[in-house]
Amino acid sequence: MGYVTRIVIIGGGPGGYEAALVAAQLGAEVTVVDCDGLGGASVLTDCVPSKTLIATAEVMTTFDSSYEELGIIVADDTPPLERSARVVGVDLGKVNRRVKRLALAQSHDITAAVTRAGARVMRGRGRLEGCQTADGTRCVVVEAADGTSERLSADAVLVATGARPRELEDALPDGERILNWTQVYDLDELPEELIVVGSGVTGAEFAGAYQALGSTVTLVSSRDRVLPGEDPDAAAVLEDVFRRRGMNVMARSRAQSVKRVGDRVEVALADGRVITGTHCLMAVGAIPNTSGMGLEESGVKLTESGHIWTDKVSRTSAPGVYAAGDVTGIFALASVAAMQGRIAMYHFLGDAVAPLNLKTVSSNVFTDPEIATVGYTQADVDGGRIAANVVKLPLLRNPRAKMQGIRDGFVKLFCRPGTGIVVGGVVVAPKASELIHPISIAVDNNLTVEQIANAFTVYPSLSGSVAEVARQLHTRKTAARE
């Protein structure tokens, strides 16, 4: 009987469990060490829970903003003088119970799939011990939940321990009134006045969701606009929508401290102002889970931010040690984590592998409307990092959008001058996460705007705007050549 390659994976999130599935299928002996449940933060406290909550908010927003225009009549006992009052409400306790149930079910499904593939799942915390031995193996010490420990020998180790919410010393969460994004699912009642500190993706998503659910929301942004890392045109649309729906968006306002005063919270801003509410959600970034794992002692190089340095095939600076997911600080996306984990296993086990190409990564902000992007960005074009022609088409011109009462959003494409090869795109629309896929395929396969324009689309459809933008870019390219 031949030698079986031993793989130990520390962390059971998308990077870890996808790597486990690949390694097991390629014949390795796989052990996954995880302390919270397979699926990691993505399934248990982040992507799955937040998008489940947002799904409820999305239904309420669609109904509230469109039912009158679409001719829907709601029969209720609201007195005539109060007909403009909100006609739908939410039971947050029920919503959150569903959120937790779905997250747990997804975690169980992942565990079953990994176990069925032949991998061993250990509940506990893993850490590296020492450098690579003379025979090329690594040692991982697992501290189990019952206090016992076990030493595992591995030919390769994948570190996929993720990240946790960043906390400010003067704004520590208490789980009741001052919350981080992992704690909101314990609320039984809707926050009456919610202050969201942080206007990145997490802050914007939760601010929009709770606004739709019925909370009065104040979004505190230290930057000039919401979503400072996203396409500026997309961010402008979203901020306009937020304000139009009644959200108080406070730009260039840095939160200095948050304290609880009875059943309320006070947020002190750097300019001396104080704002109050019933709850505060802190969404000020994340820090990697790299401490206490013996990484640097084992030869694993960390960046200044505490993330693990990796190359494009997920190798760290230590032989036989790979890393994937949020712990690497590449892109905080479940899809990227999963790809990094798979690439690591393909590489170590000698299968065909392509290095990670971040210019083909598609991502989505689950606000309403959603913002989906892929490839090169407006910032890349404006900064001279790539020469590209750009066309933006508002959804207001789209017949399907008019039928559905969609007023906000656009499709934007970037293509290379001369060749017309599509190098990036932005979609701002309901379900933009679905509409970005044809643009992702174009970017990944170096398709031209001519090829996109000549493909049939359904009439009427929102995806028709993708083809229309491509037609306009093709015309512009032809005119420029002439």
Side-chain angles (χ1 to χ4, degrees):
M1 186 174 179
Y3 180 80
V4 178
T5 304
R6 298 163 299 176
I7 305 287
V8 174
I9 298 169
I10 307 175
Y17 74 72
E18 288 285 351
L21 292 172
V22 167
Q25 288 164 0
L26 293 177
E29 178 185 285
V30 183
T31 302
V32 181
V33 180
D34 184 80
C35 57
D36 297 318
L38 293 199
S42 174
V43 168
L44 297 171
T45 59
D46 196 350
C47 294
V48 171
S50 65
K51 278 49 176 181
T52 305
L53 176 78
I54 288 167
T56 299
E58 184 181 71
V59 171
M60 294 181 69
T61 301
T62 302
F63 186 79
D64 266 5
S65 61
S66 303
Y67 79 96
E68 289 184 354
E69 180 179 340
L70 298 180
I72 297 171
I73 298 174
V74 180
D76 63 9
D77 296 327
T78 307
L81 291 177
E82 299 175 15
R83 280 298 181 193
S84 61
R86 191 180 189 90
V87 293
V88 290
V90 66
D91 181 340
L92 190 65
K94 189 173 184 178
V95 171
N96 281 339
R97 285 191 292 276
R98 177 174 183 263
V99 165
K100 292 180 179 179
R101 185 172 67 250
L102 289 177
L104 199 58
Q106 181 70 5
S107 179
H108 286 162
D109 287 347
I110 292 168
T111 303
V114 169
T115 304
R116 194 163 52 244
R120 175 192 181 194
V121 178
M122 289 184 66
R123 178 61 66 93
R125 295 185 179 276
R127 59 179 171 82
L128 286 169
E129 186 175 79
C131 295
Q132 195 176 39
T133 60
D135 63 357
T137 60
R138 288 275 178 180
C139 177
V140 175
V141 178
V142 181
E143 302 288 344
D146 61 6
T148 61
S149 64
E150 184 176 341
R151 299 168 69 86
L152 305 175
S153 292
D155 298 295
V157 176
L158 175 70
V159 181
T161 47
R164 62 188 184 278
R166 179 170 167 254
E167 295 181 350
L168 303 181
E169 189 176 341
D170 293 324
L172 295 177
D174 62 11
E176 294 179 358
R177 297 285 172 175
I178 305 173
L179 310 158
N180 63 38
W181 67 76
T182 71
Q183 298 169 330
V184 295
Y185 311 109
D186 293 324
L187 294 174
D188 288 323
E189 294 184 359
L190 190 68
E192 187 178 340
E193 303 166 35
L194 178 65
I195 301 169
V196 179
V197 177
S199 63
V201 172
T202 300
E205 287 184 345
F206 277 112
Y210 279 102
Q211 177 82 14
L213 293 174
S215 298
T216 299
V217 176
T218 297
L219 180 59
V220 179
S221 172
S222 62
R223 308 289 285 274
D224 290 341
R225 58 178 172 87
V226 301
L227 297 174
E230 299 296 321
D231 180 89
D233 292 331
V237 169
L238 186 66
E239 186 165 334
D240 179 62
V241 170
F242 278 176
R243 293 183 189 277
R244 206 168 63 230
R245 290 176 181 165
M247 187 183 300
N248 178 20
V249 181
M250 302 181 66
R252 297 179 295 279
S253 301
R254 183 176 296 277
Q256 203 161 35
S257 67
V258 182
K259 66 178 180 179
R260 182 171 174 174
V261 182
D263 287 337
R264 296 185 65 79
V265 293
E266 290 185 356
V267 179
L269 305 180
D271 61 8
R273 288 177 295 168
V274 176
I275 54 176
T276 65
T278 59
H279 297 76
C280 179
L281 172 61
M282 299 299 297
V284 289
I287 56 175
N289 294 319
T290 52
S291 60
M293 292 188 60
L295 295 175
E296 290 182 291
E297 297 85 344
S298 301
V300 177
K301 178 184 175 182
L302 302 184
T303 66
E304 287 185 11
S305 60
H307 293 91
I308 298 175
W309 177 90
T310 57
D311 64 12
K312 291 187 177 182
V313 289
S314 304
R315 287 179 297 190
T316 71
S317 57
V321 180
Y322 292 74
D326 291 3
V327 77
T328 66
I330 301 294
F331 272 176
L333 297 170
S335 57
V336 172
M339 185 64 76
Q340 287 177 297
R342 289 191 291 263
I343 285 173
M345 295 300 100
Y346 290 141
H347 182 267
F348 184 75
L349 295 170
D351 206 12
V353 62
L356 183 68
N357 181 5
L358 295 178
K359 284 306 174 187
T360 63
V361 174
S362 57
S363 62
N364 193 69
V365 183
F366 288 86
T367 47
D368 182 25
E370 293 181 359
I371 299 172
T373 55
V374 65
Y376 284 92
T377 66
Q378 187 71 57
D380 291 325
V381 176
D382 294 343
R385 289 181 285 278
I386 188 170
N389 292 335
V390 184
V391 165
K392 182 180 76 170
L393 184 67
L395 282 183
L396 272 173
R397 302 184 192 175
N398 182 289
R400 186 67 185 274
K402 293 174 184 175
M403 295 169 192
Q404 293 182 305
I406 298 169
R407 304 179 186 85
D408 304 293
F410 61 81
V411 174
K412 180 194 286 190
L413 286 182
F414 307 91
C415 80
R416 296 285 281 164
T419 63
I421 291 173
V422 179
V423 292
V426 183
V427 179
V428 181
K431 297 292 188 292
S433 49
E434 313 294 341
L435 292 169
I436 198 67
H437 191 235
I439 305 176
S440 296
I441 293 173
V443 170
D444 199 33
N445 292 278
N446 296 317
L447 301 184
T448 66
V449 288
E450 182 179 18
Q451 289 172 304
I452 300 299
N454 288 339
F456 276 98
T457 57
V458 171
Y459 182 87
S461 68
L462 295 183
S463 59
S465 287
V466 177
E468 178 59 29
V469 173
R471 277 190 286 273
Q472 291 189 21
L473 274 169
H474 175 57
T475 304
R476 179 176 296 186
K477 176 174 72 74
T478 303
R481 190 166 58 240
E482 293 172 352

